[in-house]
């Protein structure tokens, strides 16, 4: 009888080990690409174009002027990292989190939180509470030739323990 309880206890511990390692891997991971930059006249990233294209195409157009993805609510208020993984030229990626994705009305801009440091290392911070979607877009400095990067690739990780 004692051996049976020991075997059951050992089996339980062995069964829980994968669950513990799975818990360390929770979070959200997205890999994507941005073909070209979409910019305001001052050169800053313009996620509104990618947002409107995503709405008009029902998500069929993605990755041209920005990459749109849903935010996992389990990552709210947790750390995120957006890392460029490739591309040509100077790849400076920004990320905008949307609380409400809005509509096609050009006179409105839905509430959002943007991370837009001027660097080629990506962005990091906290995923805003109640964020529904995010758009990764590329900054283009008008003084550069060509202006900014092209064919950028990235990895976004949120709520993932390193």
């Amino acid at each position: 009888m004692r051996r049976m309880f020991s075997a059951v206890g050992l089996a339980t511990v062995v069964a829980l080990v994968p669950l513990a390692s799975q818990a360390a891997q929770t979070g959200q991971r997205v890999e994507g690409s941005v073909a070209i930059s979409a910019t305001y006249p001052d050169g800053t990233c313009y996620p509104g174009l990618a947002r409107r294209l995503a709405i008009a195409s029902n998500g069929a157009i993605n990755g041209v002027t920005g990459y749109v993805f849903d935010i996992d609510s389990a990552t709210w208020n947790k750390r995120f990292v957006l890392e460029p993984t490739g591309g040509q030229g100077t790849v400076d990626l920004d990320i905008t989190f949307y609380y409400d994705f809005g509509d096609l009305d050009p006179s409105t801009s839905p509430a959002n939180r943007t991370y837009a440091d001027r660097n080629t290392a990506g962005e990091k911070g906290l995923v805003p509470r109640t964020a529904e979607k995010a758009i990764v877009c590329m900054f283009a400095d008008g003084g550069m030739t060509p202006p900014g990067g092209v064919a950028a690739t990235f990895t976004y990780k949120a709520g993932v323990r390193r």
Side-chain angles (χ1 to χ4, degrees):
M1 183 78 137
R2 188 173 201 185
R3 283 187 184 178
M4 184 174 89
F5 285 124
S6 294
V8 169
L10 180 61
T12 302
V13 169
V14 169
L16 291 177
V17 168
L19 291 177
S21 102
Q22 227 176 12
Q25 307 253 336
T26 61
Q28 183 175 14
R29 180 184 172 99
V30 175
E31 293 181 357
S33 61
V34 179
I36 58 174
S37 61
T39 59
Y40 287 114
D42 68 357
T44 58
C45 177
Y46 178 42
L49 181 57
R51 183 180 65 80
R52 288 178 179 91
L53 286 171
I55 292 168
S57 71
N58 200 24
I61 298 175
N62 202 9
V64 179
T65 62
Y67 191 88
V68 181
F69 60 94
D70 294 328
I71 295 297
D72 181 350
S73 62
T75 65
W76 289 346
N77 291 329
K78 294 190 174 136
R79 303 217 41 86
F80 79 86
V81 175
L82 172 67
E83 299 172 317
T85 57
Q88 299 174 356
T90 304
V91 174
D92 181 353
L93 298 175
D94 300 333
I95 188 166
T96 301
F97 294 94
Y98 286 89
Y99 303 101
D100 171 13
F101 213 47
D103 55 32
L104 290 172
D105 183 352
S107 66
T108 63
S109 178
N112 62 67
R113 167 66 167 100
T114 298
Y115 290 85
D117 291 334
R118 298 285 55 97
N119 65 59
T120 57
E123 302 293 339
K124 58 185 171 181
L126 290 178
V127 178
R129 182 164 174 71
T130 73
E132 293 179 359
K133 293 194 181 278
I135 297 177
V136 174
C137 64
M138 194 167 14
F139 172 77
D141 180 357
M144 295 170 15
T145 307
V150 294
T153 56
F154 67 87
T155 300
Y156 165 88
K157 293 182 262 184
V160 177
R161 294 184 185 156
R162 291 185 175 230

